[in-house]
Amino acid sequence: MLCLALLLISPLPFSQVGYVCSTVNYWFTLACFLWAIEPVIQSLRGKPVALWRKLLALLLMVVACNMEYYCPPALVATLVLVGICIKKRKNPALPLLLAAIVLASALYSVNAPTSTAEAYALDETMFPGYETLSAMQKLQVGFVSTAGALSTYKGGFSILIPALTLGAMLALLGWEREGRKWRLVYFIPVVIPLVTGCVARFCPTDSLWATLFWDADGGWQWNHPAAMVLALLYFGSLFVSLWRLRRSLALWMVLALGCRTVMGFSRSVFASGLRTFTPFTLVMAVACGLLADLAQHRRLAWVILCCGAGATILQFGIYLLTEAAVG
C-alpha cells in the first residue's frame, strides 16, 4: 500500500527548471535530513547505533541544510528529539549537535550574498511589492499559497490529486471509526479540494465563483479573507483528523506544512512553482499508504489508492505525450 501510495508523487513539478536541479535541491536534501535524524530515533527505540553512523548523521544534516528551505522544520524536529531524549533519560548529545548545525546553517543562509544582494531584494518581477510586507504577512503568503495549490495554481494537478486521495481516505476512516459528531471534520479535507480544485476548473473564467478570490495564475489571493478562512479550515481539519488516527502523521504534516509556509520569506515563493511542495506531497502520499492499512473496508481503500496513483500516472503521461507532440 505504501509503495502504491508513493505513485501519487508526480515528477511533473520537477520539469519546470530541470529534473537534476530540482531533485538535488529538494529530494536529495530531504533524504539527507531523514537519514540524519534516523540514528536518534533508533537510539530512542533502544537499538545500538555505531559511532560512524552518528558522525555520518552530522555530515548528512550539513548537506540537508544547504537547502535553507528545510532549516525551520529541521530545527523544530531536532529540538523535539532533544526533549524526548531528556524525558527518556537518553544522551541528547547527537540531537543537540544536529540542532546546532541547523541553526548555524539558518544563520548562514540569512546572511548569504544571494539573500542580501540588492538586485535580488529589489527584483519586482517575481513578487511586486514584496519588500513592503511584514513578517506576519510573509507567513500569511506562505500559508495561504500552500492551500491555494489545491485549486488551479499554475494549471497543475500535482497537488490536487494526492490531496483528494488523502481526503477520500480520511472520509472513509471517519465514516468507519467516528460518530456523527466527528465525521464532518473528516470530510472537510476532501470537500475543500473537490470544490476549489475541481468545480472551479469547469466554471467560466469570468464567473463570480472563478473570480471570487483567485488570482491571474489560478491560485488563491493570499490576502483575501475567504482564502485565509478556507486555508485554516482545511489544514485545521486535516490536522485534527490525522491526530485522532495516528499522531505521528499529524506531526509530520505540521513539519511539511512548515517547510512550505516558510517559503513566504522568499521572494520566489510563487516563482519556484510546485517543487516547493515536495515534503508536503511526500507526507500526503505516506499518510495515504499508512492510513489505508487502518481501513476496515480494505478493498475500498485499495480502490482509492489505485484511483489516485492512476490519475497521477495519467497526468504525467499526458504531459509527456503533449511535449513529444509539440517537440
Side-chain angles (χ1 to χ4, degrees), residues 55-184:
L55 296 175
L56 180 60
L58 300 178
L59 177 61
L60 290 171
M61 187 60 80
V62 172
V63 177
C65 291
N66 269 308
M67 189 63 172
E68 63 272 18
Y69 173 77
Y70 291 114
C71 285
L75 183 60
V76 172
T78 51
L79 290 178
V80 168
L81 290 174
V82 169
I84 296 175
C85 286
I86 294 174
K87 183 178 179 180
K88 293 190 173 185
R89 297 183 179 181
K90 298 282 187 178
N91 186 357
L94 181 57
L96 277 173
L97 288 174
L98 293 174
I101 290 173
V102 176
L103 185 58
S105 299
L107 293 175
Y108 174 80
S109 298
V110 171
N111 296 285
T114 53
S115 301
T116 58
E118 184 177 358
Y120 177 79
L122 299 178
D123 186 359
E124 288 289 319
T125 58
M126 289 188 289
F127 195 139
Y130 180 81
E131 67 280 356
T132 65
L133 300 180
S134 65
M136 287 301 298
Q137 287 176 318
K138 290 176 181 178
L139 279 175
Q140 186 178 351
V141 170
F143 181 71
V144 175
S145 64
T146 305
L150 303 173
S151 184
T152 56
Y153 178 57
K154 299 286 186 180
F157 288 85
S158 301
I159 310 299
L160 178 61
I161 293 174
L164 285 173
T165 307
L166 177 58
M169 196 68 68
L170 289 173
L172 172 63
L173 290 171
W175 185 266
E176 291 178 346
R177 292 167 169 257
E178 302 287 353
R180 294 182 179 179
K181 180 181 178 181
W182 285 101
R183 281 180 183 173
L184 179 61

Side-chain angles (χ1 to χ4, degrees), residues 8 150 159-175 183 185-194 234 237-238 241-242 245 253 284 287-288 291 304:
L8 291 167
L150 303 173
I159 310 299
L160 178 61
I161 293 174
L164 285 173
T165 307
L166 177 58
M169 196 68 68
L170 289 173
L172 172 63
L173 290 171
W175 185 266
R183 281 180 183 173
V185 177
Y186 284 78
F187 275 82
I188 291 176
V190 70
V191 171
I192 289 181
L194 190 64
Y234 175 75
S237 61
L238 192 61
S241 301
L242 290 175
L245 292 171
M253 185 63 74
M284 284 196 293
C288 287
L291 292 178
I304 293 173

Side-chain angles (χ1 to χ4, degrees), residues 16 20-21 29 41 52 54 56 60 65 68 70 73 90-91 119 142 156 173 175 182 209-211 218 232 290 309 315:
Q16 295 171 338
V20 174
C21 175
T29 48
I41 296 174
W52 70 267
K54 296 178 181 179
L56 180 60
L60 290 171
C65 291
E68 63 272 18
Y70 291 114
K90 298 282 187 178
N91 186 357
L173 290 171
W175 185 266
W182 285 101
W209 173 254
T211 58
L232 288 170
L290 296 179
Q315 176 212 12

Side-chain angles (χ1 to χ4, degrees), residues 273-297:
L274 296 176
R275 298 173 299 142
T276 57
F277 289 82
T278 298
F280 190 64
T281 310
L282 175 63
V283 172
M284 284 196 293
V286 171
C288 287
L290 296 179
L291 292 178
D293 192 50
L294 302 178
Q296 298 174 11
H297 296 79

Side-chain angles (χ1 to χ4, degrees), residues 197-208:
C198 293
V199 176
R201 294 174 186 270
F202 299 102
C203 293
T205 56
D206 57 347
S207 66
L208 175 63

